[in-house]
Amino acid sequence: MDPQESNPTIFQRLKRILIGRAKNPEDQSLFHHLSLIAFFAWVGLGADGLSSSCYGPEEAFMAVSTHPYLALFVGLGTVATIFVISTSYSQIIELFPSGGGGYLVATKLLSPSLGALSGCALLVDYILTITISIASGADALFSFFDPSYSMFKFPTALVGVCLLTLMNVRGVKESVLPLVPIFLVFVITHAFVILYAIFTHIFHFDDLARNAVTDVGQAWRDNGAGFIGVFVLLKIVLKAYSMGAGTFTGIEAVSNGLQIFREPRVQTAKRTMRYMAFSLAVTVMGLMIAYLLYEVHEHHVEGKTLNAVLFERLSAGWGYGPSRTFVFVTLLSEAMLLFIAAQAGFMDGPRVSANMALDSWLPKRFATLSDRFVTQNGVLFMGAAGALVLFLAHSLDPQGVVRFLVVLYSINVFITFTLSQAGMVRHWWQVRRSDSNWKHKFLVNGVGLVLCAGILISIVVIKFAAGAWITLAITSVLVIVVMGIRHHYRKTGALLKRLDGLVRVAESTPAPVSSDGKPVVPPAFDPSGKTAVVLVNGFSGVGLHTLFSIVRLFSGIFKNFVFVQVGAIDAGVFKGAAEIAALKEKVADDGRRYVDFMQQNGFYAEAVSSLGVDIVQEAVDLAPKILEKFPQSVFFGGQLVFPNDSWLIRFLHNYTVFALQRKFYLRGIPFVILPIRV
């Protein structure tokens, strides 16, 4: 046992308390314990879409405040859009059962560059999801209190970001389970509000219809009637529709997060999608109708959300105590659900960054996992970015953070929606001769493409001057950055190809023979012999270069060679038990190739391998076992030396050997770093 395990430091104890103990990748039930059934996935991912009913319908309703009954048409359009997009994304789930969402769809079906655009758009959108959800949650919570308490709204929002970051570092399931009661309270209270509003006004729906017809006619006449009147009328509805477009942002999250779903994943994900679509459609349309039935537009109070006004008017006749209790519980459930909604950003944002890192668009460290099997770097990045955007929005407009963020929001998700639908349309056309049902699938994604492209164009046009250009500018800068990162990794790959020639040399070199023409027999194991323990990462040019340097620099000194390889379980591998097994077999095979090569050249050799998320810690844990058998050991590791070393290059590459050398130094174990100039 590692001494640090038996005598943990204060930091290690604190980490166990806050984050939890490490999980074992060899545990056969690991994926089952980490995965979510449809209901829990609906809580974790569906909360994003469902919570948008706390600000999406309000923004849309306020945009038609001069003609409030036009909100009915906005609501109907929103409901239709929800079902079209969710149906089209169900087809994406079937085609990409391992997940990946809009980034993977655009990459595989259109081009890697468009995939990078889609991924960057999603990252910005998920950051805004975190920010606007938490800011809206603070608004909903403080709607219950006196305006003098508004000074505490921003600190409360920041605390919310920090708490959600900590919960997600612990793990997906751990971050979802505590939120289930809050989610259920929201669903129950809002279902009650909608049903109560409808059934207490059941005989007033003919008035609602007449008022809607009157409002349409009035809006048409107020703008010159004729064609111009129709055009302006449509413009009003489209503007309101676009202001509420944040309602659709949670739909993409299901297809992006398939890795967290319980088997059978596709069926579980599609069931989650149905839960999301139905609950979101009912909530949005129900609230729109309730706004009109209780005429909240005529009783709006600055500093309160429309939902707060609705709840107060709905419960006004119940008596002071019951009314205040109901309003507080309902608003608290809204605030808490909005905090939960930020989960979509924390759950799927790191997955997008991990997938992009695997394809070399982002630093490789974004694909690594913590010992809780969480993309920890991605979670921390999303939390820090969300807090930064929240701070900047508060600095620009302390009283209207949500209004400002709504302008920035929802543009990017429709970039991803449009690219995803375009990729699917292209795919169904390409496979039309082999898929007998291609016409139906083509039609579904075709309608989704037209709808999403239309919404994207209208959102950009309507919101651009109001500040939407900021979102587009940030996304453009991020695209330029990832292009630069990809260029660096490609350049590095070209340099490493020079070393890969050593692999061909090693494999093609004939085994030496003795003086009598027989193959050289490797010597027997000598426990007292000097041993070179070589840390490698695959049977590659880097590993062979390190090996040849040892042989050249320490000629005749080492009698035994031990090759140590730790298979890194990253986001690309951690998809299922089959992927873990395949990695284990590959690592073992790489070790055998090194052993065979050295034995053919007359040396005693062994291979030691392990799997883990922390390569440094795994190697440190293996060292005592190696030293027990090979007491005269010196550890070696190769490190690439780049032509122009800089802090950026050090950030883009994991300098694992330096961390290993420090760990081994503290344990009194000799560790030599051999430079490999490329």
Side-chain angles (χ1 to χ4, degrees):
M1 178 182 290
D2 192 330
Q4 290 192 350
E5 281 294 315
S6 57
N7 299 295
T9 63
I10 294 177
F11 174 77
Q12 289 170 331
R13 291 175 182 172
L14 184 63
K15 178 186 173 185
R16 287 180 187 174
I17 294 171
L18 296 177
I19 300 177
R21 289 184 175 272
K23 294 183 181 294
N24 180 14
E26 302 288 339
D27 183 0
Q28 296 297 314
S29 62
L30 179 63
F31 289 96
H32 180 80
H33 290 315
L34 294 179
S35 61
L36 301 177
I37 61 174
F39 175 77
F40 290 140
W42 179 40
V43 174
L45 297 174
D48 180 21
L50 197 55
S51 69
S52 65
S53 62
C54 302
Y55 55 84
E58 175 174 343
E59 293 298 326
F61 193 84
M62 294 298 288
V64 293
S65 57
T66 54
H67 304 284
Y69 288 90
L70 293 180
L72 288 174
F73 301 101
V74 177
L76 289 172
T78 301
V79 169
T81 305
I82 290 170
F83 285 114
V84 169
I85 295 178
S86 61
T87 302
S88 60
Y89 263 90
S90 291
Q91 294 189 168
I92 291 176
I93 290 171
E94 291 179 349
L95 190 62
F96 293 91
S98 61
Y103 166 71
L104 186 63
V105 173
T107 299
K108 299 293 185 182
L109 302 183
L110 294 175
S111 72
S113 297
L114 288 176
L117 171 60
S118 180
C120 290
L122 272 177
L123 285 177
V124 174
D125 184 74
Y126 283 132
I127 292 170
L128 289 173
T129 294
I130 294 170
T131 310
I132 196 172
S133 296
I134 291 178
S136 298
D139 273 2
L141 182 61
F142 281 85
S143 290
F144 184 80
F145 299 108
D146 187 89
S148 61
Y149 289 96
S150 61
M151 67 178 71
F152 300 108
K153 190 185 298 185
F154 176 65
T156 300
L158 279 180
V159 170
V161 174
C162 295
L163 286 176
L164 278 172
T165 303
L166 177 61
M167 290 171 67
N168 280 275
V169 168
R170 288 182 62 87
V172 172
K173 200 165 187 176
E174 286 81 354
S175 66
V176 170
L177 290 178
L179 308 177
V180 172
I182 299 169
F183 185 84
L184 291 177
V185 171
F186 176 91
V187 171
I188 292 170
T189 53
H190 286 67
F192 173 80
V193 166
I194 293 169
L195 293 174
Y196 185 89
I198 290 174
F199 283 108
T200 56
H201 294 77
I202 194 71
F203 299 111
H204 298 277
F205 272 78
D206 53 342
D207 295 334
L208 195 68
R210 279 195 299 271
N211 289 336
V213 173
T214 302
D215 233 354
V216 170
Q218 187 65 42
W220 182 48
R221 288 190 296 273
D222 288 349
N223 294 285
F227 175 76
I228 295 177
V230 172
F231 176 78
V232 175
L233 183 65
L234 288 174
K235 182 180 178 182
I236 294 172
V237 173
L238 283 175
K239 180 179 180 181
Y241 177 78
S242 67
M243 292 303 291
T247 303
F248 314 119
T249 55
I251 299 175
E252 141 79 19
V254 177
S255 66
N256 189 55
L258 249 71
Q259 294 95 331
I260 67 171
F261 287 96
R262 182 73 52 83
E263 295 287 358
R265 287 178 180 173
V266 171
Q267 287 76 5
T268 304
K270 290 175 71 174
R271 191 178 303 116
T272 304
M273 185 73 79
R274 288 194 293 271
Y275 292 167
M276 286 178 59
F278 180 77
S279 59
L280 182 57
V282 169
T283 306
V284 170
M285 195 66 207
L287 286 176
M288 285 286 198
I289 293 172
Y291 290 162
L292 294 171
L293 291 174
Y294 282 94
E295 299 178 329
V296 295
H297 53 285
E298 297 181 2
H299 300 83
H300 183 234
V301 179
E302 188 65 30
K304 287 190 176 183
T305 63
L306 282 188
N307 283 4
V309 176
L310 170 64
F311 304 150
E312 289 176 354
R313 286 184 54 75
L314 179 141
S315 61
W318 299 359
Y320 181 81
S323 175
R324 293 290 286 175
T325 302
F326 173 77
V327 172
F328 177 74
V329 171
T330 309
L331 287 177
L332 182 63
S333 73
E334 280 198 355
M336 294 299 100
L337 186 78
L338 282 160
F339 288 136
I340 297 174
Q343 269 298 102
F346 280 110
M347 290 171 70
D348 279 346
R351 295 185 188 283
V352 174
S353 64
N355 287 329
M356 294 182 71
L358 291 171
D359 292 337
S360 300
W361 293 108
L362 287 175
K364 298 294 185 180
R365 64 184 68 237
F366 281 99
T368 60
L369 300 176
S370 70
D371 55 15
R372 300 282 296 178
F373 294 94
V374 173
T375 47
Q376 182 171 292
N377 291 325
V379 170
L380 295 175
F381 170 76
M382 298 303 293
L388 177 62
V389 172
L390 187 65
F391 173 77
L392 294 175
H394 181 265
S395 301
L396 293 172
D397 188 358
Q399 301 304 318
V401 173
V402 174
R403 286 196 301 271
F404 175 74
L405 291 172
V406 164
V407 174
L408 308 184
Y409 198 41
S410 75
I411 293 176
N412 276 12
V413 76
F414 276 98
I415 293 176
T416 298
F417 280 170
T418 302
L419 290 174
S420 298
Q421 301 304 325
M424 293 296 287
V425 166
R426 182 185 184 191
H427 170 76
W428 298 130
W429 180 255
Q430 290 176 334
V431 301
R432 63 188 184 278
R433 291 184 177 86
S434 57
D435 191 332
S436 59
N437 198 31
W438 75 273
K439 290 183 179 179
H440 169 73
K441 297 175 180 177
F442 181 89
L443 178 63
V444 170
N445 288 119
V447 172
L449 173 61
V450 172
L451 189 61
C452 292
I455 296 171
L456 174 62
I457 293 170
S458 65
I459 291 175
V460 171
V461 171
I462 292 170
K463 290 186 175 183
F464 188 83
W469 62 270
I470 298 174
T471 302
L472 296 175
I474 293 173
T475 305
S476 300
V477 170
L478 185 56
V479 170
I480 294 171
V481 170
V482 302
M483 291 286 185
I485 293 173
R486 170 90 158 191
H487 174 73
H488 169 78
Y489 280 129
R490 282 186 169 179
K491 186 177 179 181
T492 302
L495 293 173
L496 291 178
K497 281 186 177 179
R498 302 174 186 174
L499 295 177
D500 287 342
L502 293 175
V503 177
R504 293 188 292 273
V505 171
E507 292 180 331
S508 61
T509 301
V513 294
S514 59
S515 56
D516 57 1
K518 296 181 179 180
V520 175
V521 178
F525 168 55
D526 180 7
S528 61
K530 297 287 186 180
T531 303
V533 182
V534 189
L535 277 76
V536 296
N537 183 20
F539 192 74
S540 63
V542 174
L544 287 170
H545 189 285
T546 305
L547 174 61
F548 293 161
S549 296
I550 295 170
V551 174
R552 176 172 54 84
L553 294 172
F554 304 94
S555 178
I557 294 178
F558 294 107
K559 306 300 181 183
N560 310 314
F561 285 83
V562 178
F563 298 93
V564 179
Q565 181 174 355
V566 177
I569 302 177
D570 58 19
V573 173
F574 194 68
K575 294 179 178 178
E579 285 80 2
I580 299 290
L583 174 63
K584 190 173 185 178
E585 177 58 33
K586 181 184 181 304
V587 169
D589 181 65
D590 290 337
R592 283 192 294 269
R593 294 171 73 182
Y594 278 110
V595 170
D596 291 344
F597 177 74
M598 294 306 290
Q599 286 181 344
Q600 289 174 2
N601 285 274
F603 295 95
Y604 179 84
E606 287 187 13
V608 178
S609 62
S610 176
L611 301 182
V613 294
D614 188 339
I615 294 176
V616 173
Q617 190 57 50
E618 287 292 325
V620 169
D621 291 343
L622 290 173
K625 302 173 186 176
I626 295 172
L627 289 171
E628 185 178 351
K629 184 174 182 179
F630 302 93
Q632 301 295 318
S633 292
V634 177
F635 287 75
F636 291 89
Q639 175 59 49
L640 298 177
V641 180
F642 293 94
N644 299 305
D645 190 30
S646 67
W647 68 268
L648 180 60
I649 289 178
R650 288 191 291 273
F651 179 74
L652 293 177
H653 296 273
N654 294 322
Y655 282 56
T656 305
V657 291
F658 292 110
L660 278 167
Q661 187 182 52
R662 184 174 184 277
K663 290 277 190 179
F664 278 57
Y665 160 75
L666 293 174
R667 288 162 174 75
I669 302 173
F671 191 103
V672 179
I673 297 177
L674 297 175
I676 304 173
R677 190 172 297 278
V678 294

